[in-house]
Amino acid sequence: MIAPLQEDKKIKALRTMIDDAERIVAIVHMSPDGDAIGSATAFQSVMTKIGKDVRIVIPDMMLSSLRALPGAKEAIDATRYPDFAHQLINDADMIMCLDFNELSRIGKLGDVVAASSAKKALIDHHLHPSDFADVCISRPEMSSTCYLLFKVLCALEMFDYIEKPAAESLLTGMMTDTGNFSYNAADPDIYIVVAELLKKGADKEKIYRRQFETHSLNCMRLNSYAILNKMEVWEDMGAALITLTRDELNNFHYVKGDTEGLVNRPLAIPGVVYSAFLREEDGYVKVSMRSLGKFPVNELCHNHFGGGGHLNAAGGEFEGTMEEAVALFRSLLQTNKDLYLSNK
Ligand code: 5GP
Ligand code: MN
């Protein structure tokens, strides 16, 4: 049996909120990933079955591989259509916040959501949710929002409304947030949920190929270049760093998503327990970090890169040049030497 959610009071409040709402907007975090788009499209699919009008608003563009999810192509990109996105948020009766823990994670939309009179619900698995939602179902111990959403839908007695499209969306998020069940995937319960999604017709092989084994030629070459020429490894510290400048990205006609997963690659080297990837954007450097074991990359990202995330997967941004970001990273290697060595 699937382990129950045990959030009875919140589920009751959520049910009332949904029942009272006609127009619902689902919002996910910036640079939406498989868990964000998967949870939004699954939620939309199920709500449509009970007669609700759900629009998905995304702060910026999604990865092209996610456009195949049912309903994803109709999501409103607030960067391209800000007025329409703001209007939807202002006119909504209810806003469902999925896969983010604070309004800063949805960029400029944060102020619009805060100002909207709509009721707000949050379903998420990031640590330390801020207190902006009327109903907040936050479960950081769970590996994906999609897994949590499945349980929420069951608790709402909507299991029967999860059909193949929603099942494929949920499975996509569960797979992408765990690296196809390779990390944060020790809880036996997630496989019971997977079994239910498969029974509903989700095509696991198709989703796996689409999310993990589909790369353009430029993308493959960029990643190979990064590992061959731009990866530095400190074997004594168990640390690794990959950097890519704007020029390098341009050389390989980089499009969003092309470096997805690159930060994980150095962790394949025996002894490496901490990996960082710095990618130069316009005016700032995007930071991604991964670790094995107890090494808390969310603390590093929070303390030094204005970000956060999970114990083993976190990110942030550095306001400055790539040279300055690398200098900061190197200085952190020195000042945190004890931390690095104790986690090796
Ligand atoms: P990625 O490295 O794949 O971009 O992000 C990994 C995880 O780090 C995300 O799931 C998210 O929890 C967190 N994260 C990434 N970028 C940021 C950021 O700029 N701010 C915060 N607070 N968290 C981030
Ligand atoms: Mn997630």
Side-chain angles (χ1 to χ4, degrees):
M1 211 192 69
I2 295 168
L5 189 62
Q6 294 184 317
E7 299 271 18
D8 293 356
K9 261 172 110 174
K10 291 181 180 178
I11 291 294
K12 223 174 144 202
L14 180 60
R15 179 78 223 202
T16 306
M17 198 187 287
I18 292 169
D19 287 345
D20 290 348
E22 264 175 49
R23 285 159 305 184
I24 304 177
V25 168
I27 300 187
V28 299
H29 60 76
M30 283 185 290
S31 297
D33 57 8
D35 195 30
I37 300 297
S39 54
T41 52
F43 176 73
Q44 181 185 48
S45 167
V46 171
M47 288 299 118
T48 305
K49 297 272 172 307
I50 59 163
K52 303 293 172 183
D53 173 29
V54 178
R55 306 299 294 263
I56 299 171
V57 173
I58 54 177
D60 53 7
M61 212 175 80
M62 74 178 86
L63 305 177
S64 60
S65 62
L66 296 171
R67 290 176 62 80
L69 291 190
K73 276 203 279 295
E74 288 76 43
I76 311 301
D77 177 347
T79 306
R80 290 180 67 191
Y81 307 105
D83 294 345
F84 186 36
H86 294 190
Q87 188 196 331
L88 285 172
I89 293 168
N90 287 329
D91 293 348
D93 305 311
M94 171 180 170
I95 299 173
M96 173 55 85
C97 302
L98 292 162
D99 202 34
F100 66 90
N101 56 351
E102 49 184 86
L103 291 174
S104 63
R105 294 287 288 137
I106 56 174
K108 292 187 184 129
L109 291 180
D111 290 341
V112 188
V113 169
S116 169
S117 59
K119 292 266 184 244
K120 287 147 206 154
L122 176 133
I123 298 178
D124 177 51
H125 70 133
H126 294 91
L127 288 166
H128 315 307
S130 65
D131 184 22
F132 68 91
D134 301 285
V135 174
C136 171
I137 302 180
S138 165
R139 299 293 284 266
E141 80 280 12
M142 293 192 179
S143 53
S144 63
T145 296
C146 280
Y147 169 55
L148 172 57
L149 177 61
F150 177 89
K151 286 174 169 285
V152 169
L153 292 170
C154 290
L156 289 167
E157 298 178 352
M158 294 182 186
F159 174 82
D160 289 345
Y161 300 122
I162 302 173
E163 296 181 356
K164 184 177 171 180
E168 296 210 323
S169 289
L170 292 172
L171 188 54
T172 298
M174 290 182 68
M175 286 167 76
T176 53
D177 261 23
T178 58
N180 195 31
F181 304 108
S182 55
Y183 45 80
N184 290 338
D187 179 357
D189 191 60
I190 62 177
Y191 301 98
I192 302 176
V193 173
V194 170
E196 294 301 329
L197 298 176
L198 295 178
K199 280 189 233 164
K200 286 182 180 281
D203 183 341
K204 189 169 175 296
E205 280 74 25
K206 175 187 77 182
I207 296 169
Y208 173 73
R209 275 202 69 73
R210 191 163 69 201
Q211 300 304 330
F212 293 93
E213 296 294 353
T214 306
H215 308 289
S216 70
L217 183 57
N218 278 321
C219 167
M220 289 182 95
R221 290 197 165 135
L222 172 64
N223 282 272
S224 304
Y225 165 81
I227 289 171
L228 183 62
N229 295 314
K230 301 301 305 285
M231 179 172 73
E232 199 170 343
V233 178
W234 291 263
E235 284 186 76
D236 55 331
M237 305 266 243
L241 172 68
I242 296 175
T243 60
L244 287 172
T245 65
R246 215 52 247 171
D247 283 347
E248 290 167 327
L249 294 163
N250 291 342
N251 285 343
F252 293 92
H253 307 282
Y254 168 83
V255 292
K256 213 169 167 179
D258 279 353
T259 54
E260 196 76 15
L262 178 59
V263 63
N264 293 297
R265 302 291 297 279
L267 296 177
I269 303 163
V272 173
V273 293
Y274 165 58
S275 166
F277 169 48
L278 306 179
R279 188 183 67 230
E280 190 178 14
E281 298 283 343
D282 288 334
Y284 71 99
V285 176
K286 179 68 199 163
V287 177
S288 275
M289 293 191 188
R290 297 290 186 274
S291 67
L292 299 176
K294 293 200 189 75
F295 194 104
V297 284
N298 50 354
E299 280 177 31
L300 272 180
C301 286
H302 177 76
N303 295 342
H304 303 284
F305 297 101
H310 313 276
L311 182 76
N312 297 130
E317 289 175 4
F318 178 82
E319 301 291 332
T321 65
M322 178 61 94
E323 289 73 28
E324 289 163 348
V326 171
L328 173 58
F329 179 85
R330 287 179 188 280
S331 76
L332 290 174
L333 270 187
Q334 290 313 314
T335 48
N336 291 315
K337 203 164 186 167
D338 292 345
L339 173 67
Y340 289 72
L341 294 175
S342 70
N343 281 286
K344 255 188 72 120

